[in-house]
Amino acid sequence: MPERRTVALVTLGCARNEVDSEELAGRLEADGWELVEDAEDADVAVVNTCGFVDAAKKDSVDALLEANDLKGHGRTRAVVAVGCMAERYGKELAEALPEADGVLGFDDYADISDRLQTILSGGIHAAHTPRDRRKLLPISPAERQEAGAAVALPGHGPADLPEGVAPASGPRAPLRRRLDGSPVASVKLASGCDRRCSFCAIPSFRGSFISRRPSDVLNETRWLAGQGVKEIMLVSENNTSYGKDLGDIRLLESLLPELAEVDGIERVRVSYLQPAEMRPGLIDVLTSTPKVAPYFDLSFQHSAPGVLRAMRRFGDTDRFLELLDTIRSKAPEAGVRSNFIVGFPGESEADLAELERFLNHARLDAIGVFGYSDEEGTEAATYDDKLDQDVVAERLAHVSRLAEELVSQRAEERVGQTVHVLVESVDEEGVHGRAAHQAPETDGQVLLTSGAGLNAGHMVEAKVVGTEGVDLVAEPLRGTLAWSEEAGR
């Protein structure tokens, strides 16, 4: 009888990392590893790290150290780092953090089982030497699909894999194994990014933009529906570029209706949209297609034109407001969220006032605010006109307070509206879910005033009757699924 091998996956960072973890889980389970939820119950704890900003990197290191503390006190014998931080720093991370028994890059994912077995057996797998992954694919997007087959692209596992490679979950099982029972799952639409924002290092370790084929996205969505998923969220570094390397920059517009028609799927959500790449046809599809959420995760970052140009981005306050007006003219209740950086090198008081002008008029449902800090390997790190860190901290606190006030006001505007809520949890704390304008974890939630007959995965029509900050309180409407005899069984 084969020796029992157990592994736990600890995931940090964004939804893209969650997809990558489920691909690793699929590969490991297919090779006989037993997946366990808690690191203390695993022979190997695999930490899928985030390498985006300093705070995320610190969280990743803390998670690795926490997992290392389990060694000698339970079953855990090895701790392995994977993910963006491991890919970005490789040998440097291995030398700085000897508590990690292995540091594996994206190129190791296809052989993850062998890598973990080697480490578990006391062997050493040398940490990789980081490289600029943008150079692994042709400059021309049209030439990337064929070349991409030889490049590691986490989360791009195809469907219909040979028997024994994918989990035995059906004829269209992707290279993926779900790690929770949530009715929501992310699906990777693409990987990498061709934009060169001066503050962002992601393209250097995630590579150039490459789309997944629509058939793989559709097959994975069908498989997820068979696993009980009701909402899929399409993720990548930049969804508005989808299809440009497949010969059709408007491919997302034709794919969305097909995804919405998959049996069992109740909602399709698109994240990570670039304002400068938004086009009328995409806005039309996002605001008018049944089951596609009128949801716009727009990466504005700032609104003062001088700061945006220094960021190597486009737009300004008035153009951004015009884009929002266009969206709301087609879907008045559309959800919009965005992130912003304050204290960017050269940001003046007038620039900050311009950002405040935008925020005060934009009526955003969710706002993330970050203070600028140098990110190694980026162009902005070489800029001379840096602001004092005390100034950055002061501006961050000021804009964060404004953002909190504005999103609360926006939530209050929704009182009296009817929303469709996907129930995500039913417990002693109540019945919680999300409306179409709320993405998982980032945009608040809805507390339902009654949960009779409800379970996670039910879609409920409800009337908003109150707010708690950015969160909504809503009363289910009788005659909807929440009150049907079928739902109560």
Side-chain angles (χ1 to χ4, degrees):
M1 184 174 179
E3 180 184 0
R4 180 174 181 248
R5 302 177 300 175
T6 57
V7 59
L9 285 147
V10 180
T11 306
L12 295 95
C14 65
R16 300 186 293 274
N17 257 16
E18 293 172 7
V19 177
D20 294 351
S21 284
E22 294 197 348
E23 178 189 307
L24 292 174
R27 291 183 182 276
L28 290 166
E29 187 174 68
D31 202 47
W33 290 78
E34 180 182 340
L35 296 162
V36 296
E37 186 173 344
D38 297 321
E40 61 185 353
D41 298 325
D43 295 313
V44 185
V46 177
V47 180
N48 192 348
T49 61
C50 178
F52 181 35
V53 293
D54 285 343
K57 285 181 273 190
K58 181 182 183 302
D59 288 344
S60 296
V61 170
D62 289 346
L64 288 163
L65 293 175
E66 183 178 339
N68 181 70
D69 289 342
L70 297 173
K71 291 191 290 189
H73 300 286
R75 186 180 179 93
T76 308
R77 289 186 284 154
V79 177
V80 175
V82 300
C84 291
M85 189 176 180
E87 173 64 36
R88 184 177 182 184
Y89 295 104
K91 289 182 178 179
E92 182 183 343
L93 177 61
E95 292 169 359
L97 197 71
E99 291 86 352
D101 300 286
V103 176
L104 306 180
F106 297 151
D107 293 334
D108 292 306
Y109 282 22
D111 301 307
I112 187 67
S113 178
D114 290 342
R115 300 287 187 265
L116 296 191
Q117 186 59 59
T118 295
I119 294 167
L120 187 60
S121 300
I124 297 175
H125 179 71
H128 74 106
T129 300
R131 53 183 172 168
D132 189 338
R133 295 188 72 86
R134 291 173 293 190
K135 299 178 180 179
L136 301 183
L137 291 169
I139 292 177
S140 169
E143 299 174 358
R144 289 180 188 163
Q145 284 293 318
E146 185 174 346
V151 176
L153 297 169
H156 282 232
D160 297 325
L161 290 165
E163 184 178 354
V165 177
S169 305
R172 295 185 178 275
L175 190 57
R176 180 170 182 171
R177 195 267 202 189
R178 298 219 67 206
L179 293 174
D180 61 40
S182 170
V184 184
S186 296
V187 175
K188 248 190 195 177
L189 197 61
S191 286
C193 185
D194 288 342
R195 301 186 72 87
R196 294 295 179 262
C197 300
S198 63
F199 57 83
C200 183
I202 289 176
S204 67
F205 55 86
R206 277 290 184 179
S208 297
F209 186 89
I210 187 165
S211 304
R212 291 183 73 193
R213 294 193 175 276
S215 57
D216 287 341
V217 177
L218 276 164
N219 285 341
E220 186 167 334
T221 298
R222 293 185 183 110
W223 178 81
L224 287 167
Q227 302 289 303
V229 169
K230 299 300 180 184
E231 176 181 325
I232 63 164
M233 184 167 72
L234 300 178
V235 299
S236 76
E237 280 73 22
N238 177 11
N239 281 333
T240 35
S241 282
Y242 180 68
K244 71 176 185 179
D245 52 324
L246 294 171
D248 185 0
I249 191 60
R250 295 177 176 80
L251 194 56
L252 184 56
E253 286 93 310
S254 58
L255 177 60
L256 285 172
E258 293 186 71
L259 293 170
E261 291 176 1
V262 171
D263 287 343
I265 296 298
E266 296 294 335
R267 180 183 290 158
V268 177
R269 185 183 303 277
V270 184
S271 62
Y272 305 110
L273 300 169
Q274 284 291 339
E277 296 181 27
M278 290 301 294
R279 47 195 179 268
L282 180 56
I283 294 174
D284 287 343
V285 171
L286 288 169
T287 55
S288 65
T289 307
K291 295 188 178 181
V292 173
Y295 175 79
F296 293 81
D297 177 9
L298 294 163
S299 177
F300 290 122
Q301 300 300 345
H302 211 283
S303 72
V307 175
L308 287 168
R309 301 306 174 268
M311 290 178 169
R312 295 203 179 278
R313 297 178 67 83
F314 306 94
D316 55 45
T317 295
D318 293 333
R319 275 189 259 185
F320 290 163
L321 291 176
E322 183 179 348
L323 172 61
L324 295 178
D325 286 344
T326 298
I327 290 169
R328 288 172 175 141
S329 70
K330 298 175 181 294
E333 297 177 5
V336 185
R337 82 168 319 276
S338 192
N339 293 325
F340 300 88
I341 298 173
V342 297
F344 193 80
E347 181 190 62
S348 66
E349 291 285 353
D351 292 329
L352 189 67
E354 184 68 1
L355 174 58
E356 291 182 45
R357 181 170 80 88
F358 173 70
L359 292 174
N360 278 306
H361 288 86
R363 296 169 57 233
L364 302 178
D365 293 278
I367 301 171
V369 186
F370 302 89
Y372 173 81
S373 62
D374 284 341
E375 192 61 32
E376 58 191 289
T378 63
E379 181 183 353
T382 69
Y383 289 177
D384 294 328
D385 47 353
K386 303 281 176 57
L387 276 64
D388 186 270
Q389 284 303 301
D390 289 341
V391 175
V392 175
E394 181 182 340
R395 292 184 180 184
L396 173 61
H398 172 70
V399 177
S400 295
R401 287 193 297 270
L402 174 63
E404 184 176 355
E405 178 183 342
L406 291 173
V407 296
S408 295
Q409 291 176 5
R410 177 63 177 144
E412 290 171 2
E413 290 180 22
R414 294 190 179 275
V415 173
Q417 292 181 3
T418 297
V419 293
H420 289 84
V421 180
L422 176 63
V423 177
E424 292 188 321
S425 66
V426 181
D427 52 35
E428 62 276 4
E429 296 182 359
V431 180
H432 292 89
R434 289 176 301 100
H437 69 281
Q438 297 168 316
E441 299 183 5
T442 59
D443 299 350
Q445 59 184 349
V446 178
L447 169 64
L448 294 174
T449 59
S450 174
L454 288 177
N455 293 302
H458 279 152
M459 186 70 80
V460 182
E461 191 175 34
K463 182 178 180 179
V464 180
V465 295
T467 65
E468 295 179 0
V470 70
D471 297 332
L472 304 181
V473 179
E475 179 181 333
L477 300 177
R478 293 186 180 275
T480 67
L481 175 60
W483 301 98
S484 68
E485 291 183 5
E486 181 179 351
R489 289 193 187 115

